[in-house]
Amino acid sequence: MKGTESSAREEKDGGTPSQRIDARIAELGDWRGETLAQVRAVVKAADPESVEEWKWRGVPVWEHDGILCTGETYKDKVKLTFARGASLADPSGLFNSGLDGGTRRAIDFHEGDAIDDKALKALFRAAVEANISARAAARTRKKPKGG
């Protein structure tokens, strides 16, 4: 039943989340679309099990045991916001936005910026591990005592 509801919603909303992200990339038709496409490829290479979603009136979202990051596009940047970014090691110094936030961190890509695929893959993998650990910790807390 749930699959039928999902299919009906997808038709009404203009397709699956992946199809909508494809459409957004094509619609942008400039460096922002190219950047979003490159980031998307890095996510899939870093975590083939990640799931693409389309939330908040048109924001690409990548999830694995919770939100990994969002990929928002603006006139002058593509912003990747990592849901647990403040808890992630960033040895390559990719985070350049939201640095004072207690939970999230972001990377703003501007026109002409190079993407360090290797460092970004490592950051995505760290985000996956953070989500898996948080989910496991939540399950442990919910286990009834004595059984």
Side-chain angles (χ1 to χ4, degrees):
M1 186 74 152
K2 188 174 182 180
T4 305
E5 292 171 16
S6 178
S7 295
R9 188 184 83 232
E10 289 168 4
E11 287 178 23
K12 178 184 173 202
D13 291 344
T16 66
S18 293
Q19 290 169 334
R20 295 186 83 174
I21 294 170
D22 288 341
R24 169 64 52 85
I25 290 168
E27 171 189 309
L28 289 167
D30 60 10
W31 68 269
R32 295 170 302 160
E34 292 169 10
T35 300
L36 191 58
Q38 186 176 353
V39 165
R40 183 188 205 187
V42 171
V43 173
K44 286 298 183 185
D47 180 31
E49 295 179 26
S50 65
V51 175
E52 294 184 320
E53 294 292 344
W54 186 260
K55 297 185 178 191
W56 308 297
R57 298 181 187 184
V59 176
V61 177
W62 290 275
E63 298 184 352
H64 183 141
D65 279 344
I67 294 175
L68 298 172
C69 83
T70 62
E72 299 170 77
T73 53
Y74 297 94
K75 183 178 179 177
D76 65 338
K77 67 186 163 225
V78 173
K79 178 183 278 297
L80 294 183
T81 303
F82 285 75
R84 297 181 186 275
S87 67
L88 303 178
D90 181 20
S92 298
L94 295 179
F95 289 130
N96 60 11
S97 181
L99 300 176
D100 56 349
T103 305
R104 293 180 293 279
R105 294 279 186 278
I107 305 168
D108 289 350
F109 293 103
H110 296 91
E111 188 171 9
D113 286 351
I115 296 176
D116 183 340
D117 288 0
K118 184 177 178 183
L120 193 54
K121 278 182 194 176
L123 198 56
F124 275 110
R125 288 178 179 138
V128 170
E129 289 304 314
N131 280 6
I132 290 170
S133 294
R135 179 75 47 116
R139 280 194 299 265
T140 300
R141 285 192 302 270
K142 289 182 182 178
K143 278 188 178 177
K145 292 186 178 186

